[in-house]
């Protein structure tokens, strides 16, 4: 088995070799590629055979050990036999994982082989084209030099001037009308449209009227004026601007894995070394970092313009994730987090952990500017060995009280790469559809997944806003970690290159949103944003279930990780005891029901209702929290910390 692994490494190590002098991929290269894939398939078949033998002999070994265990032998020998049995089981699981990883590698090689060939062919064609262009330029340069030497002291003739000008502009006088025109094309597997930016005056004439905007967007709109997280006004609350630096603790993954022997993996407590000192409820609240986009959207008289700002807000929620590779703390059941920022941000936000298996959090926000947002997010994840996919499930609702516009959308998929080997990095992918259920306007957003061979901008997001008739009105473009722009569409037509794309002629782009710069020393503070730095700051008067009062999270923030790990285990065990008590109490009064139904936890501030727009059951805010805070009456809160 070791020999086969070495052979795989040898074959993989040969991928970097190649003949750089060849212009195109020869048939020999292609046959060698297919031969390599064939050899890989053969090696994989051998590994599968070995896996079957390991499973067969491992099962026989376990049966033998179980037979020995049933014999009357000394207690000490029995414990040793049990340990051997557990190690045999772990060995078989590890072998199966290795086989699956090899199979995934082979599938990946087969899937991308053609793409690699196309990418190589494209680069070779570009190289030939560049060489031809340089050769042509050199010939024309020599011709101009000879002409100049043959007529010393004379100015170039008009025909010579035009020739040189055509060489430099490649268009001549015809290029003047296209001087301000930009072209944006995309790969076949990314966006389905092309945009052409043209002169505003011409396009307004083409529309047959003047294009007006209810809200004028400028780059200054992205400033924190009037909505600063740390306000300059001395009469407002001062927020902290830093937290203790992250300690430099090393972590041995095997030190965790070896403790999994003989234990149910779902019950293994993960150390805080993998965490950041914020809970998932606080991370959910970070979606409000760019709330000023919604404050501005309140004043839009055009629903499609308002949709542009809502779309920018939905994208902005991912901007904090680009460097945040640490996981937030899983909230305890019944844990809450409030953000009472009527003075600073003009809003109040409340989150509550309403379910533990599966983990689910309910969130409600109300703003004094005339909008409210609510959601229940359940996190589903799939571990694929090489990466971890995180899929937030649940609808996000946003309603503007003045217009009655009600928007609904869902989050995209987040992928954490290099889980086992290499530097962790995060990507967002998938499509998001935002629907205004009052006007039937729609926005289709596409998060383009990162590809090593792609010529696109990393973390690219594109989108189209359409009205109730399905006519495209705005094109959106940008990246989820930097900024989003929009451009008014004045004309659309099919692409003339034979591809199934639409060409949109637009006015110049306008900035919708731009990411705030990170605070100084952010790299040593978990890459927290200005808002994130304030979320775990101690505040008086919050509920006793608030995340700020969670002791393990507070200890971790202060750099006392060993104590935090001990406290984390205590809290998790306390939660398990509470669940057992609920099940025992409910089982006594609900005899005959399914055991899964006996843990009927009832949220304190939210309640399950049928969502009339999605047809799903979701937790919505039922009221009472802020009244309880005003009275400082928290007698109904559970003891979870």
């Amino acid at each position: 088995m070791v020999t086969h692994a070495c052979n795989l490494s040898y074959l993989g190590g040969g991928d970097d070799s190649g003949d750089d002098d060849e212009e195109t991929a020869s048939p020999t290269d292609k046959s060698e590629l297919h031969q390599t894939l064939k050899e890989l398939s053969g090696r994989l078949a051998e590994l599968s055979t070995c896996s079957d033998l390991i499973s067969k002999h491992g099962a026989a070994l376990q049966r033998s050990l179980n037979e020995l265990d049933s014999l009357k032998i000394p207690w000490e020998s029995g414990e040793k036999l049990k340990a051997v049995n557990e190690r045999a089981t772990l060995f078989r699981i590890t072998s199966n994982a290795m086989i699956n990883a090899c199979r995934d590698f082979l599938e990946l090689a087969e899937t991308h082989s053609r793409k690699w060939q196309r990418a190589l062919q494209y680069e070779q064609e570009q190289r030939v084209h560049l060489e031809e262009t340089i050769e042509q330029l050199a010939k024309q340069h020599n011709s101009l030099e000879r002409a100049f030497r043959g007529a010393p002291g004379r100015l170039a003739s008009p025909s010579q001037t035009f020739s040189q000008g055509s060489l430099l502009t490649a268009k001549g006088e015809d290029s003047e009308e296209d001087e301000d025109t930009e072209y944006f094309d995309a790969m076949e597997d990314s966006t389905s449209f092309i945009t052409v930016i043209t002169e505003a005056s011409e396009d307004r004439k083409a529309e047959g009227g003047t294009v007006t905007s209810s809200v004028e967007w400028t780059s200054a709109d992205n400033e924190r004026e009037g909505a600063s997280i740390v306000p300059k006004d001395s009469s407002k609350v001062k927020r902290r601007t830093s937290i203790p630096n992250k300690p430099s603790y090393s972590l041995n993954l095997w030190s965790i894995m070896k403790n999994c022997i003989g234990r149910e993996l779902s019950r293994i407590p993960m150390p805080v070394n993998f965490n950041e000192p914020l809970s998932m409820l606080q991370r959910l609240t970070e979606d409000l970092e760019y709330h000023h986009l919604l404050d501005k959207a309140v004043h839009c008289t055009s629903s499609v313009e308002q949709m542009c700002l809502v779309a920018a807000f939905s994208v902005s929620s991912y901007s904090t994730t680009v460097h945040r590779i640490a996981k937030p703390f899983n909230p305890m059941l019944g844990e809450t987090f409030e953000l009472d920022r009527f003075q600073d941000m003009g809003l109040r936000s409340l989150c509550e952990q309403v379910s533990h298996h599966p983990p689910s959090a309910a969130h409600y926000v109300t703003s004094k500017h005339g909008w409210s947002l609510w959601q229940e997010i359940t996190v589903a994840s799939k571990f694929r060995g090489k990466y971890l996919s995180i899929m937030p499930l649940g609808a996000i609702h946003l309603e503007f009280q003045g217009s009655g516009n009600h928007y609904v959308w869902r989050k995209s998929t987040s992928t954490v790469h290099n889980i086992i080997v290499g530097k962790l990095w995060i990507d967002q992918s998938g499509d998001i559809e935002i629907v205004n259920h009052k006007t039937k306007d729609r926005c289709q957003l596409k998060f383009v997944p990162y590809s090593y061979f792609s010529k696109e901008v990393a973390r690219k997001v594109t989108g189209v806003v359409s009205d109730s008739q399905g006519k495209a009105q705005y094109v959106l473009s940008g990246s989820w970690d930097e900024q989003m722009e929009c451009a008014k569409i004045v004309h659309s037509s099919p692409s003339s290159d034979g591809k199934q794309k639409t060409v949109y002629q637009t006015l110049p782009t306008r900035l919708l949103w731009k990411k705030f710069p990170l605070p100084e020393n952010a790299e040593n503070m978990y890459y927290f944003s200005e808002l994130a730095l304030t979320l775990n700051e101690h505040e008086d008067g919050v509920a006793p279930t608030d995340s700020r009062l969670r002791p393990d999270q507070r200890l971790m923030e202060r750099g006392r990780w060993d104590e935090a790990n001990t406290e984390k285990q205590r809290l998790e065990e306390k939660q398990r005891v509470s669940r057992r008590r609920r099940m025992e109490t409910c089982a006594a009064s609900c005899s005959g029901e399914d055991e899964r139904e006996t843990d009927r936890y009832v949220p304190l501030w939210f309640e399950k209702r049928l969502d009339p727009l999605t047809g799903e059951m979701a937790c919505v805010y039922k009221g009472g929290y802020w009244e309880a805070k005003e009275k400082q009456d928290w007698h109904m809160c559970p003891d979870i910390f």
Side-chain angles (χ1 to χ4, degrees):
M1 182 134 181
V2 175
T3 304
H4 296 322
C6 292
N7 289 338
L8 281 171
S9 300
Y10 176 77
L11 289 171
D15 290 343
D16 292 336
S17 63
D19 297 327
D20 295 335
D21 297 333
E22 294 188 18
E23 291 294 316
T24 57
S26 65
T28 304
D29 292 334
K30 294 180 180 179
S31 63
E32 288 180 356
L33 177 61
H34 291 303
Q35 182 63 27
T36 300
L37 290 174
K38 184 177 180 181
E39 291 182 14
L40 286 172
S41 299
R43 296 292 187 269
L44 182 61
E46 294 174 7
L47 287 172
S48 297
T49 302
C50 293
S51 176
D52 294 337
L53 291 173
I54 289 173
S55 299
K56 178 181 177 181
H57 295 308
L61 175 61
Q62 285 185 332
R63 285 196 300 270
S64 300
L65 291 173
N66 290 334
E67 291 173 358
L68 289 174
D69 193 32
S70 63
L71 299 177
K72 294 182 179 180
I73 56 177
W75 178 84
E76 183 178 355
S77 300
E79 288 297 315
K80 291 182 178 180
L81 283 174
K82 184 178 179 181
V84 172
N85 196 354
E86 292 172 343
R87 282 167 173 77
T89 301
L90 183 61
F91 176 73
R92 187 173 60 176
I93 293 173
T94 306
S95 300
N96 290 336
M98 185 189 71
I99 296 296
N100 292 334
C102 292
R103 184 175 291 106
D104 290 344
F105 169 75
L106 179 61
E107 291 176 357
L108 184 65
E110 291 175 341
T111 301
H112 288 279
S113 60
R114 292 184 180 179
K115 188 172 183 180
W116 294 337
Q117 291 176 7
R118 288 199 303 268
L120 178 61
Q121 183 70 25
Y122 174 82
E123 295 299 332
Q124 290 167 342
E125 291 174 355
Q126 291 294 100
R127 174 185 170 184
V128 173
H129 178 69
L130 180 60
E131 289 176 349
E132 292 175 350
T133 303
I134 292 175
E135 183 179 0
Q136 183 181 4
L137 286 172
K139 290 178 180 178
Q140 294 195 25
H141 178 72
N142 291 335
S143 177
L144 289 172
E145 282 188 339
R146 286 195 299 270
F148 177 77
R149 290 169 184 167
R154 294 195 308 164
L155 294 174
S157 65
S159 62
Q160 290 173 327
T161 304
F162 177 77
S163 175
Q164 186 177 9
S166 63
L167 171 67
L168 296 176
T169 65
K171 292 183 180 180
E173 295 179 357
D174 292 339
S175 66
E176 292 181 1
E177 65 179 7
D178 296 332
E179 192 175 17
D180 297 327
T181 300
E182 299 180 47
Y183 294 87
F184 297 90
D185 203 350
M187 296 180 66
E188 293 181 357
D189 56 351
S190 58
T191 54
S192 59
F193 59 85
I194 306 171
T195 62
V196 180
I197 301 177
T198 186
E199 289 288 344
S201 58
E202 296 178 3
D203 295 316
R204 284 171 180 164
K205 292 177 182 177
E207 282 287 289
T210 302
V211 178
T212 59
S213 173
S214 62
V215 178
E216 193 65 28
W217 295 314
T218 65
S219 58
D221 291 336
N222 202 56
E223 300 296 329
R224 295 186 188 271
E225 182 180 356
S228 176
I229 306 302
V230 185
K232 297 179 180 179
D233 188 348
S234 60
S235 64
K236 295 182 180 179
V237 178
K238 297 293 184 181
R239 308 289 179 187
R240 68 180 183 181
T241 58
S242 65
I243 60 175
N245 285 358
K246 177 181 178 181
S248 180
Y249 287 159
S250 61
L251 180 65
N252 184 354
L253 187 59
W254 175 244
S255 66
I256 300 173
M257 290 297 295
K258 69 181 182 181
N259 293 327
C260 298
I261 299 174
R263 300 179 65 182
E264 186 181 346
L265 294 180
S266 62
R267 302 300 184 187
I268 303 299
M270 298 301 289
V272 300
N273 306 54
F274 293 108
N275 289 46
E276 63 180 18
L278 288 178
S279 75
M280 190 62 200
L281 302 182
Q282 291 164 315
R283 282 291 291 269
L284 197 59
T285 306
E286 281 190 71
D287 288 358
L288 304 173
E289 176 113 20
Y290 299 95
H291 62 92
H292 67 274
L293 295 172
L294 302 183
D295 298 342
K296 178 179 290 295
V298 170
H299 304 290
C300 289
T301 56
S302 167
S303 61
V304 289
E305 287 185 359
Q306 188 178 75
M307 175 70 85
C308 291
L309 288 167
V310 172
F313 173 78
S314 70
V315 174
S316 71
S317 64
Y318 300 97
S319 63
T320 61
T321 66
V322 63
H323 299 298
R324 302 275 287 278
I325 58 176
K327 67 180 291 291
F329 278 78
N330 291 329
M332 312 300 292
L333 187 60
E335 185 173 333
T336 60
F337 179 74
E338 68 160 67
L339 191 71
D340 192 355
R341 299 285 176 89
F342 249 60
Q343 278 190 329
D344 302 4
M345 301 164 63
L347 57 82
R348 275 179 164 174
S349 167
L350 176 66
C351 293
E352 181 181 3
Q353 188 75 0
V354 295
S355 173
H356 190 63
H357 290 296
S360 181
H363 185 201
Y364 179 76
V365 189
T366 181
S367 169
K368 69 179 182 182
H369 297 286
W371 58 266
S372 56
L373 180 148
W374 64 96
Q375 59 182 320
E376 181 187 352
I377 298 296
T378 301
V379 178
S381 60
K382 290 185 179 180
F383 179 58
R384 300 296 189 182
K386 301 179 293 294
Y387 60 88
L388 177 69
S389 294
I390 303 171
M391 295 152 288
L393 308 176
I396 304 171
H397 293 257
L398 171 65
E399 185 175 22
F400 293 93
Q401 280 80 33
S403 63
N405 289 334
H406 189 148
Y407 298 86
V408 179
W409 71 94
R410 299 174 189 270
K411 287 182 173 289
S412 68
T413 298
S414 301
T415 306
V416 185
H417 295 270
N418 296 340
I419 294 293
I420 302 298
V421 179
K423 183 178 180 180
L424 291 174
W425 61 280
I426 296 177
D427 195 19
Q428 310 292 339
S429 60
D431 298 334
I432 293 180
E433 182 182 51
I434 307 175
V435 180
N436 183 341
H437 284 271
K438 179 185 178 183
T439 64
K440 307 305 178 184
D441 299 337
R442 293 177 182 270
C443 174
Q444 300 287 344
L445 288 174
K446 182 178 183 62
F447 289 72
V448 182
Y450 173 80
S451 173
Y452 181 80
F453 298 101
S454 174
K455 305 174 195 64
E456 299 283 9
V457 177
R459 310 178 186 95
K460 182 177 181 179
V461 181
T462 61
V464 175
V465 175
S466 305
D467 59 21
S468 58
Q469 305 301 317
K471 181 180 179 181
Q473 296 290 336
Y474 280 91
V475 169
L476 305 177
S477 61
S479 59
W480 53 263
D481 68 322
E482 285 295 336
Q483 66 179 39
M484 287 296 293
E485 297 176 333
C486 74
K488 173 68 177 175
I489 298 173
V490 294
H491 182 70
S492 63
S493 61
S495 175
S496 60
D497 58 3
K499 299 178 181 178
Q500 294 183 348
K501 291 189 176 183
T502 303
V503 178
Y504 293 128
Q505 189 177 8
T506 70
L507 300 180
T509 60
R510 292 184 291 181
L511 181 67
L512 288 172
W513 158 76
K514 187 173 183 179
K515 181 183 177 181
F516 297 140
L518 289 174
E520 185 179 355
N521 194 39
E523 65 276 8
N524 294 319
M525 297 186 296
Y526 308 89
Y527 286 98
F528 281 179
S529 65
E530 188 176 339
L531 173 63
L533 288 173
T534 69
L535 293 182
N536 207 44
E537 185 176 12
H538 179 76
E539 291 187 17
D540 295 328
V542 299
T545 53
D546 196 273
S547 299
R548 300 175 181 87
L549 304 177
R550 181 166 174 165
D552 54 347
Q553 187 172 298
R554 181 66 63 188
L555 288 168
M556 185 202 173
E557 181 185 274
R558 294 173 179 172
R560 296 156 61 179
W561 285 16
D562 291 337
E563 297 175 60
N565 279 318
T566 302
E567 191 65 18
K568 185 171 181 289
Q569 293 182 31
R570 181 189 69 82
L571 291 176
E572 290 171 346
E573 180 58 31
K574 182 175 182 178
Q575 180 170 246
R576 284 191 285 269
V577 170
S578 297
R579 181 175 183 270
R580 285 195 295 268
R581 289 175 179 171
R582 284 197 309 274
M583 293 181 67
E584 291 171 358
T585 302
C586 192
S589 57
C590 306
S591 58
E593 295 190 15
D594 187 359
E595 182 180 350
R596 292 172 297 180
E597 299 294 329
T598 58
D599 183 18
R600 293 180 176 176
Y601 175 78
V602 179
L604 189 57
W605 309 110
F606 292 80
E607 62 183 1
K608 284 280 187 182
R609 294 180 190 169
L610 179 65
D611 188 333
L613 297 180
T614 65
E616 302 170 352
M617 294 297 295
C619 280
V620 295
Y621 181 59
K622 65 180 181 181
Y625 180 88
W626 303 110
E627 293 78 4
K629 181 181 180 181
E630 184 178 357
K631 299 176 182 177
Q632 282 300 292
D633 180 11
W634 303 115
H635 73 278
M636 71 295 289
C637 293
D639 177 18
I640 60 175
F641 299 144

